[in-house]
Structure formats: C-alpha cells, structure tokens
Amino acid sequence: MKSAPAIMAALLMASLTLTANSMNAATTVKKSDFGKMPDGTAVSLFTLTNAKGMEARIITCGGILVSLRTPDRKGALGDVVLGHDTLADYTADTKTYFGALIGRYANRIGNAQFKLDGVTYKLPVNDGRNSLHGGPQGFDKRVWTGKEVPGGVELTYVSKDGEAGYPGTLTAVVTYTLTDDNHLRIHYTATTDKNTVVNLTNHTYWNLKGDGDILGHLVTLNADRYTPIDAGLIPTGELRPVAGTPFDFRQATTPGARINQTDEQLKFGKGYDHNWVVNRTGAGLSLAARVEDTSSGRVMEVYTDQPGIQFYSGNFLDGTVKGKGGRVARQHDALCLETQHFPDSPNKPTFASAELKPGGKYDTVTEFRFSAK
Ligand code: GLA
C-alpha cells in the first residue's frame, strides 16, 4: 500500500501534467523536410494544427505560408492561400512572392534609393526604376532558422550590413502562432547595429473560396484615406479621402463592383494595388480589413498595429505562373492584404518614419482571424 505522502505526490504530478497539457492543449507543431536550396541548404516545413483542425504550414525558405486550411460554414477545411507544390517552384518564382515574409522593406522605394543621416543608399532595381520588396534577393528568398515554440514557429534571419543595399546588420525574428480560436498571429521583431529602415510584412494571396477569382469576395477596409500613386506605383505623398471614389471600402463591397471604372488610380495599379491609411483606435491592434466569401461562408479579419495596409487585387497574375496542382494563377485569382509602413516612407518626410536605431526594437503584430457564417 502506498503512503499518504506518496499518494499526494502522485496526485500533484497528475494535476501538473493536466495543467501543462491544457496550456499546450491546443496547437501541435510538427517539423519535417521540405527539400534543399540550390546550394544544398536544408529547408524545413512546420505544420501547426489547432484543436479545431485548422492547419497552417510554414517553410523556413522565406518564412512562406505554403497552405492554410480553414473551415467553411459546414466545417469543411479548405486551403485558402495560393502557393506552389515544391521548393524549386518557390525559388524559381520571382514574380508573385506567394505567402512570403517580405523585407527589408515591403513594397516600393522610389528610384531605388533613399537618404539616411546624409548618406544615399542605392538599392537593387527590380520594378521599373524602383526597388520592390527588398530586391530580387529579399527576405522571401532567404532561408530562416526555424524553431518550435508553443503553438507556433519562430523564424530568425540575420541580414548582414549592406545586404541588398541596406545599412546595418539586421536581426529579424518572426513568430507565427495558430490559436484555438482560429487566429493566425504574426509577430515581427527586428534589431540593428546601425541606423537603418525596416518594414516587414507577409505577402499571402488569399482566396476564401479556395478556387476561382476574388472579384465577388466582400471586402471592407477600415480606412477613410489612402495614398494615391504615380504611374510607377510610388505614393505621391498625398493622403486622399476615399469618399466618393472606387477606393471607398468602408462598407463591404466586392472588388469587382468598381475595378473596371475609368479612374486614373485604378489605371496606374491595373486594379487595386494601393496603401490604405488604417483608421486607428489608439495603440495596439485595430481592425484594418475584413473579407467574406458568401459561397463558403468563410470570413477573415485582419487586425494590426501598423499604419497602412496594401490591398492588392492580384493584378499582375497573368497566367504565366502555375501554382499548386499545376493550377494556373490568373489575374484576380487572389487578393493580398499586406500590413505595413506606407510605401516609400524613407523618401517621404510626411509619412511615419520607418527608421530603426541601435538599441531600439521594431516590434509589430498582425493577426488574421478566421470564422465562418
Ligand atoms: C505588391 C505590390 C504589387 C506587386 C505584388 C507582387 O502587392 O504592390 O504591385 O508587385 O506585390 O507581385
């Protein structure tokens, strides 16, 4: 027979185990291989699965969200993101940035240069005269170090001083977490050893229906203003009211309703490819966007602490890129909602500064919250 203290100890152990299990109840994290880069570097795949069966798959190349399976109104899981089947297809794709983490500077920097502390920094030109998404070897093409954390994966990439033209050694740490209430949370941090600029985002292409196009998705953008662009898609510096324009998404509207209107801004973007100024309600996370697909019932809300959100209606998908299962990605097959500092901020003194100094910390969160109705 066991002594009373032994029974007490056994009970205590059992309850500790229970507590630990319920804390982690939730999301399981599995690591597997996803192939090798051309130089032989191994790439891992992290699969996060929550208690409801929702599943996010992330690879260490580019921190790419390769699939996200969410329930429709009947509870059926479906993949709502565009992507490729193999690592070779991701590394060969220089056009789409499917699902990737973007850095050092998301979106465009005009004339591929900026001045900081009196020094002009020249960046790789990869979009007309401009530098887009950190250049052709941006964070989306780098292999990050992946580590399992509770409910998610932590990815680290150290970008050397001068890499892609940017000053300072930048250490970026991005954590993806999947919660039991079907939220995919992305926490971005970065530190530097020299004054620099930084603007990180995620470039997932969403299609809540899982096929066809997004022209009939209901989109709401919580923004009274947006930043109009020039013919090279660089903001003019103006913050223009959306009222009375095809850029007013304050009431749920489909992209298809006005995308073909005669409008100089729609012409420049070949559709929607603009930064909206998020209506903020103080510090912390604010609702920036909501997307609903009435056929599946899937709803996605985007919460962020960032000042801007790029709504891109997949205008440059031109049928030349094949995605998962060989499916051709056509114009408007998906939409992107990239939370960010405004494009070209380093050259726009009136925009919020994207500067990061040694001792400071870039620290930002975006959550994609899923439900069905
Ligand atoms: C961003 C840009 C678009 C396009 C895509 C990638 O959303 O704003 O113009 O370059 O990335 O194709």
Side-chain angles (χ1 to χ4, degrees):
M1 217 180 105
K2 281 190 176 158
S3 68
I7 292 169
M8 287 298 288
L11 281 174
L12 185 65
M13 277 307 291
S15 83
L16 281 179
T17 316
L18 265 179
T19 317
N21 283 346
S22 54
M23 272 164 65
N24 294 331
T27 300
T28 61
V29 183
K30 265 200 226 138
K31 186 181 173 184
S32 53
D33 292 335
F34 198 73
K36 286 192 165 56
M37 297 293 281
D39 72 357
T41 309
V43 171
S44 303
L45 166 71
F46 286 85
T47 303
L48 323 180
T49 312
N50 76 5
K52 298 202 179 85
M54 182 173 164
E55 179 203 79
R57 292 163 74 236
I58 294 134
I59 57 171
T60 52
C61 170
I64 296 170
L65 176 67
V66 297
S67 69
L68 188 75
R69 285 158 50 75
T70 69
D72 66 8
R73 67 163 69 85
K74 292 183 187 139
L77 294 173
D79 188 3
V80 296
V81 311
L82 262 50
H84 293 293
D85 287 323
T86 67
L87 181 61
D89 290 339
Y90 277 110
T91 54
D93 178 354
T94 55
K95 272 191 175 169
T96 67
Y97 304 86
F98 278 162
L101 296 178
I102 307 293
R104 292 192 189 193
Y105 200 94
N107 211 281
R108 293 175 178 77
I109 297 193
N111 291 321
Q113 61 177 52
F114 67 95
K115 219 182 215 183
L116 185 64
D117 305 324
V119 180
T120 298
Y121 293 94
K122 302 241 182 234
L123 308 173
V125 178
N126 62 340
D127 186 75
R129 298 153 52 179
N130 308 316
S131 194
L132 174 68
H133 293 330
Q137 291 298 318
F139 286 9
D140 59 295
K141 291 278 179 282
R142 307 287 178 172
V143 179
W144 297 57
T145 304
K147 184 176 108 186
E148 180 182 334
V149 292
V153 55
E154 180 191 274
L155 301 165
T156 302
Y157 178 64
V158 181
S159 172
K160 295 205 178 74
D161 186 14
E163 185 179 293
Y166 292 89
T169 298
L170 188 85
T171 303
V173 181
V174 178
T175 308
Y176 285 91
T177 325
L178 182 62
T179 70
D180 273 342
D181 38 10
N182 290 356
H183 298 176
L184 180 69
R185 178 184 170 90
I186 313 181
H187 181 198
Y188 305 83
T189 68
T191 50
T192 183
D193 63 359
K194 277 187 194 162
N195 289 0
T196 192
V197 296
V198 61
N199 183 29
L200 307 180
T201 195
N202 172 280
H203 206 307
T204 292
Y205 284 70
W206 305 102
N207 181 323
L208 299 186
K209 214 173 9 170
D211 63 29
D213 64 53
I214 51 75
L215 292 174
H217 280 29
L218 284 170
V219 175
T220 313
L221 297 174
N222 180 23
D224 296 336
R225 294 169 301 168
Y226 76 110
T227 54
I229 50 177
D230 66 17
L233 284 78
I234 298 296
T236 59
E238 182 191 344
L239 305 184
R240 188 178 290 174
V242 295
T245 77
F247 292 81
D248 190 349
F249 280 89
R250 292 174 297 179
Q251 303 288 326
T253 316
T254 64
R258 295 167 301 181
I259 201 167
N260 292 319
Q261 282 187 9
T262 311
D263 178 282
E264 187 181 51
Q265 285 299 312
L266 287 174
K267 196 174 124 212
F268 287 159
K270 290 195 163 63
Y272 295 104
D273 192 357
H274 297 74
N275 169 68
W276 270 255
V277 181
V278 177
N279 290 340
R280 301 215 51 89
T281 48
L285 297 184
S286 295
L287 178 68
R290 179 182 184 279
V291 185
E292 179 179 344
D293 166 45
T294 50
S295 63
S296 65
R298 290 195 183 93
V299 175
M300 177 178 82
E301 292 173 317
V302 186
Y303 280 79
T304 189
D305 53 21
Q306 288 294 281
I309 188 164
Q310 187 85 9
F311 166 40
Y312 169 57
S313 50
N315 315 323
F316 298 118
L317 297 175
D318 58 3
T320 56
V321 172
K322 275 193 191 152
K324 295 173 196 171
R327 181 185 145 197
V328 172
R330 288 155 314 174
Q331 198 178 35
H332 313 313
D333 271 0
L335 58 84
C336 303
L337 290 162
E338 303 149 66
T339 54
Q340 61 185 359
H341 269 280
F342 300 171
D344 201 32
S345 290
N347 292 311
K348 295 284 185 305
T350 58
F351 287 176
S353 170
E355 275 179 51
L356 180 67
K357 293 182 170 37
K361 192 169 186 187
Y362 172 87
D363 192 335
T364 156
V365 170
T366 293
E367 279 184 14
F368 296 94
R369 301 184 182 175
F370 294 86
S371 55
K373 59 183 271 195

